[in-house]
Amino acid sequence: GDSVTQMEGPVTLSEEAFLTINCTYTATGYPSLFWYVQYPGEGLQLLLKATKADDKGSNKGFEATYRKETTSFHLEKGSVQVSDSAVYFCALNNAGNMLTFGGGTRLMVKP
Amino acid sequence: DADVTQTPRNRITKTGKRIMLECSQTKGHDRMYWYRQDPGLGLRLIYYSFDVKDINKGEISDGYSVSRQAQAKFSLSLESAIPNQTALYFCATSDPTAGAWGYGYTFGSGTRLTVV
C-alpha cells in the first residue's frame, strides 16, 4: 500500500536558519503530495501541495518540489521564524480522495 | 464558529467506559473522516463516510464505531475504552469537487482523550 516517510524530529533551529524536512513516499501511479502544518492546540492546515512531477508548491515562504525520480517531496524554507514552530506532516493522495500521512516532524525555532 | 467543531476538547475516562466524541461541520461537505494521532505515527484513519448512508472502516477501526446522524454530524464511539486508545482524535471533512485528489480537507481542532 501507499506510505509516507518523514525524518524524525524534533528539528531545532535558530531563527533565520535554513530548514529542510525530508519526505519520501511509496505509491503506485501518480499521487498528489501535500504538506500540512499543525500549530500547538490546533488542527491540521494545508500548507502547500503539488499534483504532478516537477510541480513546486509554495506558501508562506515554504517550498517543496515533487520529485518523481526520487519519490520525494522535501519541505524547505530559507529563513525560519519562531512562529514557524509547529508539527509538519507530509501526505499523499492516490485516488479516492483519501490522505495517507507521514509520522510528522516537530520543528522548534529558538530566538 | 469553526468550520469543523469537535466536542469535547479534552476528556479523561476510565477503562471499560463507553465514550462518544462528536463532530459537526458547517462546510456542507458530504465526506467526513475520523483520524487518530499518536506521536511518531502521524494520523491514521479510523472510519470515513462519503455520505449519510455510507460508512467505511479505515486502517484502525477495531474498538471503534461511528454514526453519521446527518450530513453535518459524524460521531465516534469507543464502546469499552482501553488505555492504548489514549490519543488525539481529529475529525475532518473534504470536498471532492474542490479539485483533484484531496484538496479541500478541513480539520477540527482535535479531542485529546486519556483512558486511565
Side-chain angles (χ1 to χ4, degrees):
Chain A
D2 299 339
S3 66
V4 177
T5 302
Q6 294 179 232
M7 61 188 293
E8 291 190 15
V11 174
T12 304
L13 296 173
S14 298
E15 207 164 23
E16 299 184 1
F18 184 87
L19 169 71
T20 300
I21 299 178
N22 290 336
C23 171
T24 58
Y25 68 91
T26 301
T28 57
Y30 302 93
S32 292
L33 301 175
F34 305 85
W35 277 101
Y36 279 82
V37 59
Q38 182 184 26
Y39 297 105
E42 299 183 11
L44 278 71
Q45 304 173 26
L46 180 63
L47 180 59
L48 54 84
K49 60 185 184 293
T51 60
K52 61 183 186 295
D54 300 325
D55 267 3
K56 177 184 285 188
S58 62
N59 186 25
K60 299 181 180 180
F62 291 89
E63 294 183 339
T65 301
Y66 189 144
R67 300 290 188 197
K68 190 164 179 62
E69 65 276 15
T70 55
T71 62
S72 64
F73 193 54
H74 304 321
L75 183 69
E76 297 181 336
K77 187 174 185 182
S79 176
V80 294
Q81 305 301 311
V82 173
S83 59
D84 294 325
S85 298
V87 180
Y88 293 82
F89 292 92
C90 186
L92 69 81
N93 186 300
N94 195 10
N97 200 238
M98 305 298 292
L99 284 173
T100 298
F101 289 91
T105 303
R106 181 176 299 278
L107 170 65
M108 300 172 60
V109 181
K110 297 184 175 180
Chain B
D1 288 344
D3 293 327
V4 179
T5 302
Q6 292 184 233
T7 55
R9 289 298 305 273
N10 293 281
R11 180 73 181 267
I12 300 174
T13 192
K14 293 184 178 180
T15 298
K17 293 291 188 181
R18 183 179 188 275
I19 182 169
M20 178 181 289
L21 310 183
E22 299 190 3
C23 176
S24 62
Q25 54 117 343
T26 58
K27 299 290 288 185
H29 292 169
D30 286 329
R31 299 185 174 192
M32 298 188 73
Y33 311 82
W34 275 103
Y35 286 92
R36 167 178 171 159
Q37 183 182 14
D38 296 281
L41 295 178
L43 276 72
R44 294 180 292 167
L45 184 63
I46 306 173
Y47 270 95
Y48 62 101
S49 170
F50 281 179
D51 65 43
V52 175
K53 296 181 180 179
D54 176 76
I55 301 290
N56 303 281
K57 293 182 177 180
E59 180 185 354
I60 54 164
S61 60
D62 287 349
Y64 302 94
S65 62
V66 292
S67 173
R68 186 79 184 268
Q69 299 96 324
Q71 185 201 43
K73 296 184 181 298
F74 191 38
S75 300
L76 176 72
S77 293
L78 286 68
E79 297 301 325
S80 179
I82 56 177
N84 77 358
Q85 292 177 311
T86 294
L88 188 56
Y89 291 84
F90 285 102
C91 176
T93 72
S94 74
D95 175 11
T97 67
W101 311 138
Y103 296 2
Y105 266 67
T106 303
F107 284 83
S109 297
T111 294
R112 185 169 296 280
L113 177 67
T114 303
V115 183
V116 297

